[in-house]
C-alpha cells in the first residue's frame, strides 16, 4: 500500500521501508515478531474467508484417511502442553510425567485402582482446561498487547492472570474450572459443575478471589454461577463430554508411551510430522511491517491495519503444492493453525534484503526464532506424508531392534548373576 | 472416651494422622502423589498404605521415597522385584537384601 509519510514528506511505495520506521525497527526488534503475529492472524482470517484452504484440508483428509490417522497440529501441541503442565505443576515433586515410560507405569497403577484413576482423571481434567485457557487467550487478537500466564498453586483461588505487555499492569485474573461427564447422568454432571463453581464462592469468602475474577469453566458453569448467586463473568469453553473425550485421548497417549512434554528434534524429524503439514504460507511483506508499525504508532486504527495486512497476506499467500521448497517460519502455539493445518510465514527477497539492511545479514531469523517461531523448509503435502510413513516404519523397526538388544542385555545379566553364584 | 479420642484426633497434625493409620486410601494417594514432601514421606510409611499407594511411591522420582516404600511392612514382592533394578544403588541394594531375607 502506498502511503504519504508526514515525517519524510514523501509517498512511500509498497516495497520501500520508511527511514524512520527502519530506525524504530532497529531499536525495537520485537516489533518484527509482533508484525509477523499480526500478519499470521490477518492471513488466517483472509484464508478462511476466501476458503482458499478448503482444497488443502481435503487433500490432508484424503491422504490421512488412507495412510495414517491424522492428528491436527493444534491438538498435538495442546496435548504436549497438558503433559508439560502435569509435569511442572500437578506432579512436579513425584515426577510421574518426567518421561513417557514413568507416565505409562503410573497409568498401569491407575488401571488397577479406582482411587488412583480418579486422581489421575481429576489432574488431567484440571491441567487440560488450564492449557485450553492459555491457548484460548494466546489465540486472541488481543494477545498482541496482552500477556496471559498460568499461576502456580501458591496462588489460591486463582489460576491465571492477564497483564498488559507494555505496562505490566494486571488486566484480569481467571479461575479455571472443569468437569467431565458423570457416569451417573446429566443431573450429576451439572451437580459436579455446581460443586466446582462453589469452590470459587468459597475462595471469595476466604478473600482469595474476588467478584471481578473471571470464571473459565465448562458448559453449564454460567447456570451454576447463577444458582450460586455469583456475579463473576463466566466464559464457557468445552463441554463435559469434550473433557471426557480429551481425558480418554490423553490416557491413550500415556498408554502408548506418547506422554511427551516437549517436541524433540527427533520427533520433528520422525513422529512430529504433523507440524510439517503446512496448509499455506502467507508473506510477511514490507507493506505489512509498515502497516503494523504505523498502527502501533497510532497512525492507523487496528481495524484499518488488519484489513490492509489481510489483503496483503492474501495476495502473497501460497497454498498447496506450490509451496514445496519454500523456507518458512511457523509461529508457536495456536497462532497459525486452522483446522489442524499450519499456516507459516515466508519472507520475499525484497523483505529479506531490507531486514538484512536493518538488523544485519540473516538476523531477522534469530529475532523470529527468539519469539518462538520455528524455522523450516516446507515439503509438498503428499511427499511429506510419504516421508512420515517411511519414518514411522524406521521408528518401529528401531524399536524392535532396541527391544531385542534389551532382551540380550537382560539375558547377559542373568548369566552374570548365575556365574557369580557359582564362583 | 470416644469423645476424647475425637478431640485428640482433631489436634493431631496431618503427618501424625497418616502415621497412625487414620487416613483413607484416597487421602494417602493424594499425599503420595502430591507436592508436599513431608506428607509424601509419611504416606509411604503409613501402616495402612495399600499396594496402590506403595506402587505410586515405587515410581516416585525421589529415591528417598522409594526407600521408605521398601521399608514399609506392606511392601509386596512385586514392588521389591521392581526396585531390585532401581537406578539408585542404595534402593536396589536394600531391595536385594529384602529379596534375600524373604527368599523371593
Amino acid at each position: 500500500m502506498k502511503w504519504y509519510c508526514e515525517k519524510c514528506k514523501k509517498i512511500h511505495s509498497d516495497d520501500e521501508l520508511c527511514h524512520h520506521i527502519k530506525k524504530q525497527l532497529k531499536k525495537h526488534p520485537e516489533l518484527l515478531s509482533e508484525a509477523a503475529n499480526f500478519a499470521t492472524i490477518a492471513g488466517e482470517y483472509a484464508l478462511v474467508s476466501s476458503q482458499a484452504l478448503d482444497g488443502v484440508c481435503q487433500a490432508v483428509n484424503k491422504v490421512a484417511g488412507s495412510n495414517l490417522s491424522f492428528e491436527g497440529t493444534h491438538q498435538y501441541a495442546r496435548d504436549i502442553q497438558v503433559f508439560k503442565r502435569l509435569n511442572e505443576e500437578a506432579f512436579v515433586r513425584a515426577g510421574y510425567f518426567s518421561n513417557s515410560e514413568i507416565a505409562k507405569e503410573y497409568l498401569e497403577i491407575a488401571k488397577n485402582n479406582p482411587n488412583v484413576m480418579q486422581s489421575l482423571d481429576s489432574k488431567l481434567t484440571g491441567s487440560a482446561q488450564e492449557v485450553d485457557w492459555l491457548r484460548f487467550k494466546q489465540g486472541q487478537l488481543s494477545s498482541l498487547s496482552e500477556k496471559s500466564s498460568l499461576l502456580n498453586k501458591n496462588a489460591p483461588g486463582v489460576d491465571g492472570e492477564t497483564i498488559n505487555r507494555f505496562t505490566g499492569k494486571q488486566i484480569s485474573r481467571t479461575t479455571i474450572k472443569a468437569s467431565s461427564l458423570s457416569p451417573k447422568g446429566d443431573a450429576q454432571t451439572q451437580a459436579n459443575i455446581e460443586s466446582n463453581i462453589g469452590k470459587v464462592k468459597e475462595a471469595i469468602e476466604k478473600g482469595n478471589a474476588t467478584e471481578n475474577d473471571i470464571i473459565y469453566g465448562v458448559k453449564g458453569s454460567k447456570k451454576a454461577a447463577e444458582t450460586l448467586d455469583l456475579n463473576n463473568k463466566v466464559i464457557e469453553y468445552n463441554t463435559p463430554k469434550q473433557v471426557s473425550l480429551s481425558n480418554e485421548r490423553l490416557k491413550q497417549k500415556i498408554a502408548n508411551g506418547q506422554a511427551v512434554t516437549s517436541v524433540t528434534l527427533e520427533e520433528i524429524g520422525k513422529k512430529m510430522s504433523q507440524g510439517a503439514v503446512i496448509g499455506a504460507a502467507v508473506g510477511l511483506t514490507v507493506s505489512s511491517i509498515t502497516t503494523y508499525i504505523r498502527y502501533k504508532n497510532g497512525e492507523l486504527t487496528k481495524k484499518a491495519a488488519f484489513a490492509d495486512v489481510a489483503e496483503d497476506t492474501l495476495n502473497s499467500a501460497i497454498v498447496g503444492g506450490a509451496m514445496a521448497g519454500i523456507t518458512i517460519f511457523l509461529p508457536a502455539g495456536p497462532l497459525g493453525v486452522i483446522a489442524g493445518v499450519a499456516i507459516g510465514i515466508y519472507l520475499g527477497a525484497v523483505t529479506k534484503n531490507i531486514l538484512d539492511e536493518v538488523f544485519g545479514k540473516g538476523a531477522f531469523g534469530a529475532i523470529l526464532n527468539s519469539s518462538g517461531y520455528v524455522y523450516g523448509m516446507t515439503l509438498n503435502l503428499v511427499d511429506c506424508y510419504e516421508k512420515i510413513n517411511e519414518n514411522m516404519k524406521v521408528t518401529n523397526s528401531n524399536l524392535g531392534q532396541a527391544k531385542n538388544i534389551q532382551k540380550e542385555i537382560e539375558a547377559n545379566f542373568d548369566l552374570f548373576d548365575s556365574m557369580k553364584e557359582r564362583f | 472416651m470416644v469423645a476424647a479420642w475425637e478431640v485428640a484426633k482433631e489436634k493431631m497434625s496431618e503427618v501424625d494422622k497418616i502415621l497412625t493409620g487414620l487416613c483413607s486410601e484416597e487421602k494417602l494417594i493424594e499425599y503420595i502423589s502430591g507436592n508436599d514432601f513431608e506428607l509424601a514421606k509419611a504416606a509411604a510409611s503409613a501402616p495402612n498404605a495399600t499396594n496402590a499407594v506403595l506402587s505410586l511411591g515405587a515410581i516416585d522420582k525421589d529415591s528417598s521415597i522409594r526407600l521408605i516404600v521398601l521399608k514399609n511392612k506392606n511392601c509386596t514382592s512385586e514392588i521389591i522385584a521392581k526396585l531390585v533394578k532401581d537406578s539408585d544403588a542404595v534402593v536396589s541394594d536394600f531391595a536385594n537384601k529384602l529379596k534375600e531375607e524373604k527368599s523371593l
Side-chain angles (χ1 to χ4, degrees), chain A residues 2 15 58 73 113 127 136 147 156 181 186 212 240 245 268 294 337-338 397 416:
Chain A
K2 285 180 183 167
D15 290 340
Q58 278 165 17
T73 319
N113 185 292
S127 297
F136 161 79
K147 188 182 175 186
L181 274 182
D186 289 348
N212 296 324
L245 288 172
I268 289 174
R294 287 185 66 210
V337 180
I338 307 171
S397 128
F416 180 67

Side-chain angles (χ1 to χ4, degrees), chain B residues 10-25:
Chain B
E10 263 179 41
K11 283 185 181 170
M12 281 171 118
S13 74
E14 206 54 30
V15 169
D16 289 336
K17 279 184 194 167
I18 298 168
L19 295 176
T20 43
L22 291 173
C23 280
S24 64
E25 186 193 49

Side-chain angles (χ1 to χ4, degrees), chain A residues 327-349:
Chain A
T327 303
I328 66 149
F329 293 89
L330 279 176
L335 274 186
V337 180
I338 307 171
V341 176
I343 311 297
I345 282 270
Y346 76 91
L347 283 77

Side-chain angles (χ1 to χ4, degrees), chain A residues 263-272 395 398:
Chain A
V263 181
T264 61
L265 272 178
E266 189 191 13
E267 280 168 341
I268 289 174
K270 291 185 175 178
K271 284 154 86 181
M272 174 49 186
T395 309
N398 286 346

Side-chain angles (χ1 to χ4, degrees), chain A residues 172-176 210 212-216 232-235:
Chain A
S172 60
R173 304 196 316 166
T174 304
T175 177
I176 302 162
T210 71
N212 296 324
D213 295 337
I214 298 166
I215 298 172
Y216 183 83
N232 300 59
K233 179 183 172 188
V234 181
I235 299 172

Side-chain angles (χ1 to χ4, degrees), chain A residues 103-116:
Chain A
K104 203 172 164 179
E105 282 189 58
Y106 174 49
L107 180 68
E108 283 305 313
I109 297 167
K111 278 181 184 168
N112 291 318
N113 185 292
N115 287 332
V116 181

Side-chain angles (χ1 to χ4, degrees), chain A residues 240-312:
Chain A
K241 190 178 177 184
Q242 281 171 319
V243 171
S244 295
L245 288 172
S246 158
N247 285 357
E248 286 314 309
R249 187 182 67 248
L250 291 166
K251 279 191 257 183
Q252 193 53 54
K253 284 192 173 183
I254 300 171
N256 294 344
Q258 293 170 330
V260 289
T261 54
S262 64
V263 181
T264 61
L265 272 178
E266 189 191 13
E267 280 168 341
I268 289 174
K270 291 185 175 178
K271 284 154 86 181
M272 174 49 186
S273 36
Q274 286 87 353
V277 179
I278 298 151
V282 294
L284 179 61
T285 61
V286 173
S287 174
S288 295
I289 297 170
T290 302
T291 304
Y292 178 72
I293 293 177
R294 287 185 66 210
Y295 149 64
K296 284 294 296 253
N297 292 344
E299 294 169 39
L300 292 171
T301 63
K302 191 191 268 183
K303 202 175 165 185
F306 192 79
D308 280 350
V309 175
E311 193 186 330
D312 248 4

Side-chain angles (χ1 to χ4, degrees), chain A residues 87 89-96 98 102 105-106 109 113 115-116 118-119 123 153 410, chain B residues 25-26 29 31-37 40 50 52 55-57 59-62 65 82:
Chain A
N87 186 41
E89 186 60 41
F91 298 117
V92 64
R93 196 208 55 75
Y96 300 152
S98 54
I102 299 282
E105 282 189 58
Y106 174 49
I109 297 167
N113 185 292
N115 287 332
V116 181
Q118 197 182 3
S119 167
K123 300 281 192 323
K153 294 296 176 206
E410 278 170 11
Chain B
E25 186 193 49
E26 228 172 322
I29 286 167
Y31 293 144
I32 195 121
S33 50
N35 291 337
D36 188 314
F37 185 59
T50 58
S55 297
L56 287 175
I59 59 164
D60 199 288
K61 78 171 174 193
D62 197 305
I65 298 279
K82 178 189 157 47

